[in-house]
Amino acid sequence: MAGRAIMDSVGLVHPGAMGAAVGAQLASAGTPVRWVSDGRGPATRRRAEAAGLVECARLDELAECSTILSVCPPAAAREVAASVAATGFEGVYVDANAISPEHAREIGTRFAHRDGVVVVDGGIVGPPPKKPGTTRLYLSGDARAVAGARDLFSPTELRPIVLNGPIGQASALKLAFASYNKLTYALAAQAYALAAHHGVFDELRDLAGDVLPDTPFGRPDSLVSAGQRAWRWEGEMAEIGAACAEASIPDALLRAVEAMFSRWSDYKDSDEVTVAQLLAALHVAN
């Protein structure tokens, strides 16, 4: 009976803010979700416990799960996949990271030599899922495995949407959306940094609030949340840049925003960072 419970469970690597929220949704829907504590810090443990996840000591213990879900920083996605591939895992590997289509296909190739392993490409759009209508999970790849992943998430607040295409499509859609969504924060920060330098920050805030009230430009306080997550967004910009280069689309804008977000890396998950600090960090020393 215990073995059956393991086979019907999901292995989650790793429960960050998004991963823990997704895991909590699955756990609340009755699916046991397992996570690996080896090498993880106290913050990860707190998130996992709050989400109702089942602790495993080592990664190879997740190999008995029928599905492994990867939700990690983009720069770590291929390393995580390689670590899972080195175990005895034989099931569905759902990579739900913000990576380029090329890197999604690379992960699919990494598991190609393993009988019984099927890779599903996933792209999460929206905030950590906690209520209906906020967050979507796009899925592409092997039709049967994609249908299984859709059914797994259907009882949750994370809305699964199937794309009838190969590995890479879900990642492409995720990155295309992120390229617009996250660049709006960078453009707003650039504009406010310029205005602040010339002493017209308040005037720009009033103008933008009147003309574009429902955007980061009209709500500069929203830059705080961007600053807290910039350590992750920097990696996303690198992935979007790689996707653009692969598609022969100019990637200079993405590389510039990647560099901009790198200037906010010291404010990772900071509860005390201010808009003024973020804008000051954008100034390049002469």
Side-chain angles (χ1 to χ4, degrees):
M1 193 70 176
R4 177 67 179 171
I6 291 174
M7 284 303 297
D8 288 343
S9 66
V10 171
L12 175 63
V13 284
H14 293 284
M18 178 64 79
V22 172
Q25 287 293 320
L26 289 169
S28 295
T31 299
V33 180
R34 299 161 69 83
W35 72 288
V36 179
S37 56
D38 182 38
R40 317 314 300 179
T44 304
R45 177 177 293 279
R46 287 193 295 270
R47 285 191 294 265
E49 291 176 350
L53 312 187
V54 180
E55 180 180 351
C56 295
R58 301 180 310 278
L59 182 62
D60 56 11
E61 294 182 44
L62 294 191
E64 298 179 55
C65 295
S66 55
T67 301
I68 288 183
L69 173 65
S70 175
V71 184
C72 65
R78 286 177 289 172
E79 180 182 348
V80 168
S83 297
V84 173
T87 70
F89 176 63
E90 295 181 356
V92 176
Y93 184 85
V94 181
D95 187 285
N97 299 302
I99 58 175
S100 71
E102 179 183 8
H103 290 161
R105 291 190 294 269
E106 181 181 323
I107 287 174
T109 301
R110 183 174 292 279
F111 287 94
H113 69 287
R114 296 288 306 278
D115 292 337
V117 180
V118 183
V119 175
V120 170
D121 180 26
I124 300 175
V125 177
K130 296 179 181 178
K131 58 183 180 180
T134 63
T135 314
R136 303 179 181 192
L137 171 62
Y138 289 94
L139 301 163
S140 68
D142 178 85
R144 184 174 179 180
V146 165
R150 177 201 59 206
D151 294 345
L152 179 67
F153 287 99
S154 290
T156 75
E157 303 296 359
L158 180 60
R159 177 187 172 193
I161 300 176
V162 172
L163 302 176
N164 295 318
I167 289 175
Q169 277 206 341
S171 288
L173 181 57
K174 157 67 179 179
L175 293 193
F177 182 84
S179 67
Y180 175 84
N181 186 44
K182 293 181 173 64
L183 259 64
T184 61
Y185 288 89
L187 293 171
Q190 184 85 5
Y192 278 109
L194 179 62
H197 179 74
H198 290 282
V200 290
F201 176 93
D202 292 341
E203 290 77 6
L204 180 61
R205 181 190 57 203
D206 293 344
L207 172 60
D210 286 342
V211 178
L212 297 169
D214 297 322
T215 68
F217 194 32
R219 297 178 287 106
D221 287 349
S222 66
L223 295 177
V224 168
S225 65
Q228 293 165 335
R229 293 176 288 173
W231 65 275
R232 187 184 182 104
W233 289 7
E234 179 185 354
E236 276 193 51
M237 294 303 107
E239 293 292 331
I240 298 170
C244 287
E246 181 189 0
S248 300
I249 298 170
D251 64 345
L253 176 59
L254 284 308
R255 300 304 180 187
V257 175
E258 178 187 355
M260 175 185 288
F261 286 152
S262 73
R263 291 177 171 272
W264 292 347
S265 59
D266 289 344
Y267 301 113
K268 176 182 177 180
D269 300 330
S270 172
D271 293 329
E272 300 177 354
V273 63
T274 66
V275 172
Q277 288 175 311
L278 295 173
L279 299 184
L282 297 183
H283 287 279
V284 179
N286 293 322

